[in-house]
Every structure is written in C-alpha cells, then in structure tokens.
Amino acid sequence: MSQSTESTTASNPFTKPGFIIAAALVVALIAATVIIFLLPKGQGNAQPAPAPAETSGSATVSPSPSAEVGKSVCGLPSSSETALGSAPETTWELVGTMAAPTDPKIGPGKIDDQGIRSCFAHTPTGALYAAVNLWALGSDPSKEQAIAEHLAAKGPGRDAGMKAPQTAAPASSVKVQIAGFNVSYTANKAVVELAFKANTGALASVRTTLLWQDGDWKGVVADNGAPLEEPRQVPDLSGFIPWSGA
C-alpha cells in the first residue's frame, strides 16, 4: 500500500496546528508510525538510523527518591551495567497486536486486572523490556488512560494524558512489530530506540525516553502530552541490534 509524500504529510496528525495527543506516550505514536509505513519503502524522509541521543522535546518530570535507591517496586534485581550490546534471549507474548518480551528476572513483574504490564528490572535490559511492553500495550487503545496513569513519568504530560479523551484507533491493515533496538543508559534514565517493521516490509524507528521513578521505568512525554520525538522511516536495520518475536 502506498501514497504520495504530499498526501501522507497532509494526513499526518503531527503536522496539524493545535494537535494534542491524548495519553500521547503510545497510541498516537502508533498512528504516526502507521502513516510512515504507508510511504513507499525508501521514499521521502528515509534516513539511516542515528545512534541514540538525548531527545529534544520539552518535558518537565518530577524526581523520585526511589530512583536514587534503585530498588524495584516488585523486587526485581538491579545491576551496575550501563550497556546492552546483544539481543537478549526471551519469551515473547502477544500484547494487543504486538509481540512483547517477558522474563521472570527482567519483567514485567506485575500485570494488573486491566492488563497493564509494569515493574521491570533496574538494568539496561529492563529498560528495553519496559519500552517494548509500553509500545505493545499502546496497540490496544482501550488501555490509553491506564497507560498514562501507571506508566508515564510524573509531570504535566502525564496529567494531560490522564485528562484527555480516548484516542480513536487508527484505521489501517498495517501490522507493526519490533525488529531491533539500541539502548543509551544511565542509572536513572534510558533512551531506547526501537526499530519497527510492518507487514508491508517498511521500517521505521522512534526513541522512547524512560526515567527510573518510584521503583520502575516510566515513559516521558512533553508537557503538552505530545511525544518527544516523532517516528521516522529508515531504509534498513543498519545501526540496530536485530531482535524480534514475530
């Protein structure tokens, strides 16, 4: 499925004035990624994937005493590791429409009655698992406000997400799965860049910033509830560590 760059740009909600994402951490990012996947492979804004770096969006978040302690809220282990150079072996579970990793020593350590998956190890691998599970949960729009409440970092962006009306699910036959990753990590912050592959064969990437807050990894959004960075099309998985469960 394809369409022109001009029509794709016109339909991209990120280009429309006044666009505010409801619980924007996940669902609208999925919608934007689907739009990118509608571009012909290699067209338009396709660029090589850069190395993980600091995101540039405006976000105000609250510090957490538990970030200094480093203890997981559900007792999962922490480590002094700061890098993840290879793909972890894991079990994959279907969450919404996306395969997500799970491991009893990494997380999710909690799955509540709404299906919200939380509590991940205070490690680079834990941050990776948290980011992928967050995206997978976002493939189910019914969980939008619960995601904002339980998985977003404290701050104005989280408050905006909790108050906003539910976002309609994007109408598309495109299915998206994780295809690779990079992790940039410090003790209290991680930037996880994920590559996504669609059933059309197209690839896109986006960075998710996570903070260690209240004994778990929490996703960061801008103060207005918008994502810190839009997804972008990439030509291949160069620069990513390949990793997928579907």
Side-chain angles (χ1 to χ4, degrees):
M1 186 175 186
S2 64
Q3 60 188 61
S4 69
T5 302
E6 289 185 0
S7 63
T8 301
T9 300
S11 64
N12 188 336
F14 287 108
T15 67
K16 296 179 181 179
F19 178 68
I20 301 298
I21 299 174
L25 186 59
V26 182
V27 174
L29 279 175
I30 289 287
T33 304
V34 167
I35 290 169
I36 285 176
F37 286 137
L38 297 179
L39 288 170
K41 190 173 182 180
Q43 179 183 323
N45 63 340
Q47 303 175 38
E54 298 294 324
T55 50
S56 57
S58 173
T60 304
V61 293
S62 304
S64 170
S66 64
E68 296 179 0
V69 175
K71 294 181 65 176
S72 164
V73 70
C74 64
L76 291 178
S78 61
S79 78
S80 59
E81 296 176 356
T82 59
L84 181 58
S86 61
E89 294 185 5
T90 192
T91 298
W92 295 86
E93 296 178 347
L94 188 64
V95 179
T97 62
M98 187 179 296
T102 181
D103 186 293
K105 295 182 179 179
I106 301 170
K110 290 185 176 181
I111 303 177
D112 68 14
D113 55 4
Q114 299 181 81
I116 298 300
R117 301 161 73 87
S118 63
C119 189
F120 294 87
H122 193 187
T123 65
T125 306
L128 172 63
Y129 277 44
V132 177
N133 275 269
L134 185 57
W135 274 86
L137 284 167
S139 67
D140 180 354
S142 69
K143 293 181 170 55
E144 190 172 355
Q145 291 187 342
I147 290 169
E149 179 179 1
H150 298 291
L151 303 180
K154 295 176 181 177
R158 174 178 179 269
D159 296 340
M162 291 173 62
K163 294 176 182 177
Q166 183 171 307
T167 300
S172 175
S173 61
V174 176
K175 301 300 182 183
V176 178
Q177 300 293 338
I178 299 299
F181 70 89
N182 279 302
V183 178
S184 177
Y185 183 88
T186 63
N188 299 325
K189 181 178 181 178
V191 179
V192 179
E193 184 174 23
L194 296 173
F196 296 91
K197 185 174 183 179
N199 55 356
T200 62
L203 295 166
S205 71
V206 70
R207 295 190 185 107
T208 301
T209 300
L210 303 168
L211 294 182
W212 185 254
Q213 202 174 76
D214 297 330
D216 199 5
W217 291 109
K218 305 290 186 178
V220 180
V221 292
D223 289 352
N224 66 350
L228 294 182
E229 181 175 315
E230 297 178 28
R232 48 188 258 155
Q233 192 181 17
V234 294
D236 53 45
L237 293 177
S238 299
F240 290 96
I241 298 171
W243 192 51
S244 64

